[in-house]
């Protein structure tokens, strides 16, 4: 199965210039990635990788990048954090339809990761799981799988910022 995903990195001075980066990435198996324009010091790679599973595709790409850019730090794996417009495009409905679904089923629709005045952000995997449980939507299995894998990578990456001493106190009040 083919999986489409994006990996965004923060580069260090040791990673070298863009031309060197591209050559190293191609030499270590990232020939299936399109390098997107990024601000200086950042790297965004859009992959189309064939693998048996989303985890396998993502792990392989992370391994290839680590090999060629050992000091680069992962910023984000995607598709993960999305707005309603993003979900609507992936599922083939209008943004208005997604908003109506969210408002009509406010008690069961996944809560956003961030709720803003103008826009909110959800984990794509959670919204797709909710839609699959409702039925009636044609969901691409590779997108469903990759959104789950990307969310896991992002959550694991963010755990480095946890204060383990304070975690138990907060956990008791959150869950």
């Amino acid at each position: 199965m083919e999986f489409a995903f994006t990996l965004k990195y923060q580069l260090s001075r040791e990673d070298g210039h863009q031309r060197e980066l591209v050559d190293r990435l191609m030499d270590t198996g990232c020939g299936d990635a399109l390098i997107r324009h990024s601000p200086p010091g950042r790297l965004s790679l859009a992959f189309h990788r064939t693998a048996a599973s989303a985890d396998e595709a993502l792990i392989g790409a992370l391994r290839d990048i680590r090999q060629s850019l050992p000091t680069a730090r992962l910023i984000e794996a995607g598709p993960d954090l999305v707005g309603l417009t993003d979900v609507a495009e992936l599922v083939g409905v209008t943004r208005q339809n997604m908003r109506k679904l969210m408002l009509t089923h406010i008690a069961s629709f996944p809560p956003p990761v961030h709720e803003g005045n103008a826009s909110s952000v959800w984990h794509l995997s959670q919204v797709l799981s909710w839609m699959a449980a409702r039925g009636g939507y044609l969901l691409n299995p590779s997108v469903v799988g990759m959104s789950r894998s990307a969310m896991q990578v992002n959550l694991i990456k963010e755990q480095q910022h946890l204060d383990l001493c304070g975690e138990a106190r907060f956990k008791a009040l959150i869950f």
Side-chain angles (χ1 to χ4, degrees), residues 14-41:
E14 292 83 31
D15 291 319
H17 296 288
Q18 179 100 7
R19 187 71 170 147
E20 297 168 10
L21 294 175
V22 171
D23 291 341
R24 279 188 292 181
L25 287 165
M26 296 308 126
D27 290 343
T28 57
C30 292
D32 56 346
L34 174 66
I35 299 174
R36 293 191 172 156
H37 291 287
S38 299

Side-chain angles (χ1 to χ4, degrees), residues 53-72:
S53 69
D55 284 352
E56 184 182 302
L58 196 50
I59 288 168
L62 290 166
R63 187 180 301 121
D64 293 345
I65 294 167
R66 174 62 56 106
Q67 182 180 347
S68 56
L69 304 173
T71 58

Side-chain angles (χ1 to χ4, degrees), residues 40-167:
R42 309 277 181 169
L43 178 67
S44 179
L45 298 160
F47 283 88
H48 286 274
R49 185 163 281 205
T50 302
S53 69
D55 284 352
E56 184 182 302
L58 196 50
I59 288 168
L62 290 166
R63 187 180 301 121
D64 293 345
I65 294 167
R66 174 62 56 106
Q67 182 180 347
S68 56
L69 304 173
T71 58
R73 290 188 337 193
L74 181 67
I75 297 171
E76 179 184 1
D80 179 21
L81 300 173
V82 295
L84 290 179
T85 302
D86 302 313
V87 178
E89 288 175 9
L90 285 169
V91 176
V93 299
T94 65
R95 184 195 185 291
Q96 291 78 7
N97 184 265
M98 281 305 305
R99 181 165 169 71
K100 183 178 178 182
L101 273 173
M102 178 194 66
L103 294 174
T104 305
H105 304 283
I106 199 78
S108 65
F109 195 85
V113 175
H114 169 76
E115 190 167 57
N117 292 336
S119 63
S120 297
V121 178
W122 287 263
H123 284 293
L124 177 59
S125 175
Q126 294 174 347
V127 176
L128 293 179
S129 292
W130 181 85
M131 294 180 84
R134 288 187 47 77
Y137 296 96
L138 185 60
L139 304 176
N140 183 329
S142 68
V143 173
V144 171
M146 186 50 71
S147 68
R148 189 177 306 115
S149 296
M151 180 179 73
Q152 290 301 309
V153 166
N154 290 330
L155 292 174
I156 290 166
K157 180 189 73 70
E158 287 303 313
Q159 282 183 333
Q160 69 182 319
H161 303 293
L162 282 179
D163 171 5
L164 297 179
C165 296
E167 180 184 1

